[in-house]
Amino acid sequence: MAFHPPAPRPSAPARTVHGSPRTLGRGLGGHDNALNLIRLVLASAVIVGHSVPVGGYPESVWQSASGTAVNGFFVISGYLIAGSRMRLSLRAYLWRRALRIYPGFWVSLAVTAVVVAPVAAALGGERYEPLSALAYVVANATLYISQWDIQHLLEAVPFPNVWNASLWTLWLEGAAYLLAGLVLTVPRVRRRPLPWLALLLVLTLVMQFASYGPVDLTTTKFFQGFRLGGFFLAGMVLWAARDRVPLRWWLGVPALALALVASSWPVPVTWAASALPLAYGLLWLGAVLPVRIGAVNDLSYGTYIYAFPLQQLLVVLGANTVLTHGQFSVVALACTLPVAWLSWHLVEKPALKFKTVVT
């Protein structure tokens, strides 16, 4: 996932006589767009998808919503990250990325370990181990999650011994930030980013298929890295081509439809076929939707990092035994949004005040 702070709205982008931005670059040229709303919707879709295994509900088409939503996060991230890197020095770019992702992440680990876990232990009649809770925070502090459980907790739930399955994407997000920053440091790439980024996208798509064949890199790190890397690069490619890509509903709607249809195709065909359509469709929506929910207060990151432990807490309370999957998802979202609001106002937004420390 990529999470970026909102900024004061600039003057409206140049528009055609019909009132619609002419190109992707103009439609998304400032912060007056709906990308934060889309990311909040994607975070909510992750909750819907995760509610199936967390609540022990029968498998359904909704379960795939979380994977598609994560793909969408990486698409939007790739677009925004490319622009950020080209505007900033490498040091400033990496500093701002660290400020955006680490403070909220560290606090979420601590809140899970010292607030949510003890409450779950008390409600579920399990034993809380403070040293294991401390180890949970320390072991996972780098973004790479190596300890999923806290001893003696979540042993009798449908998705046992895992406090926050959503966090597995964050180290790949961080790796994408770093690699994008380095690639766009190369002078030749900075001068002509489109052909080089397109080449990297093609190579990544090829590696998606090769991982199932002669290369056989189907371990989780490579498997998911090539998958999410393809969506991230699709966003970067569209950033590089932003002033040449028109914004048209007759391109955006079919692109989203193709991405939706392709989501049911076998892996890795689904990834290769949906990367650019999903990228264009979501970015088109971000440019043309008039709704500005989240433009000032970005709750998408907090929603993403807090939803899973709160869903587990709801299961400990027995909510999954009295609620349908849909009802459980709604209740989980309703519980998560206030926590995400607190995360934004108390942690994420204050951290961004230090972004100009490094230039």
Side-chain angles (χ1 to χ4, degrees), residues 25 61 87 144 160 220 243 245 267 288 302 308:
V61 295
R87 290 190 303 270
Y144 185 80
T220 299
D243 294 326
V245 177
V267 172
V288 302
F308 203 96

Side-chain angles (χ1 to χ4, degrees), residues 326-353:
Q327 292 168 338
F328 183 89
S329 300
V330 170
V331 171
L333 179 60
C335 292
T336 303
L337 286 177
V339 180
W341 189 90
L342 290 173
S343 176
W344 169 252
H345 284 282
L346 299 182
V347 182
E348 300 166 49
K349 186 177 179 181
L352 295 175
K353 294 179 181 179

Side-chain angles (χ1 to χ4, degrees), residues 41-108:
V41 171
L42 293 175
S44 302
V46 171
I47 293 177
V48 174
H50 282 171
S51 289
V52 175
V54 171
Y57 296 102
E59 290 189 10
S60 70
V61 295
W62 293 109
Q63 195 166 348
S64 63
S66 57
T68 302
V70 168
N71 296 340
F73 274 125
F74 273 73
V75 157
I76 295 173
S77 177
Y79 185 92
L80 295 175
I81 283 298
S84 175
R85 174 62 189 96
M86 294 293 281
R87 290 190 303 270
L88 301 169
S89 70
L90 181 60
R91 287 200 320 159
Y93 161 81
L94 292 176
W95 173 246
R96 294 190 184 197
R97 301 285 61 78
L99 283 178
R100 188 62 187 99
I101 201 167
Y102 272 112
F105 169 70
W106 285 332
V107 172
S108 75

Side-chain angles (χ1 to χ4, degrees), residues 22 39 46 96 149 158 182-183 205 222 234 265 313 330 336 339 353 355:
R22 288 184 293 224
R39 288 191 293 200
V46 171
R96 294 190 184 197
D149 69 323
L182 294 176
V183 166
L205 299 183
F222 292 105
W265 295 351
L313 185 57
V330 170
T336 303
V339 180
K353 294 179 181 179
K355 65 184 182 180

Side-chain angles (χ1 to χ4, degrees), residues 225-356:
F226 289 132
R227 164 202 162 190
L228 296 177
F231 289 98
F232 192 89
L233 281 165
M236 291 185 73
V237 166
L238 286 185
W239 173 85
R242 64 197 182 283
D243 294 326
R244 308 177 190 181
V245 177
L247 280 179
R248 299 289 185 268
W249 72 265
W250 45 266
L251 292 175
V253 172
L256 289 172
L258 176 57
L260 179 62
V261 171
S263 66
S264 63
W265 295 351
V267 172
V269 175
T270 177
W271 304 336
S274 62
L276 282 172
L278 183 63
Y280 180 83
L282 291 180
L283 294 170
W284 167 74
L285 281 177
V288 302
L289 286 179
V291 183
R292 293 295 178 263
I293 295 174
V296 176
N297 300 309
D298 183 5
L299 306 187
S300 59
Y301 186 36
T303 300
Y304 187 80
I305 59 179
Y306 281 102
F308 203 96
L310 293 177
Q311 287 173 289
Q312 290 284 45
L313 185 57
L314 286 173
V315 171
V316 172
L317 283 167
N320 59 316
T321 64
V322 296
L323 299 175
T324 65
H325 168 249
Q327 292 168 338
F328 183 89
S329 300
V330 170
V331 171
L333 179 60
C335 292
T336 303
L337 286 177
V339 180
W341 189 90
L342 290 173
S343 176
W344 169 252
H345 284 282
L346 299 182
V347 182
E348 300 166 49
K349 186 177 179 181
L352 295 175
K353 294 179 181 179
F354 298 95
K355 65 184 182 180
T356 57

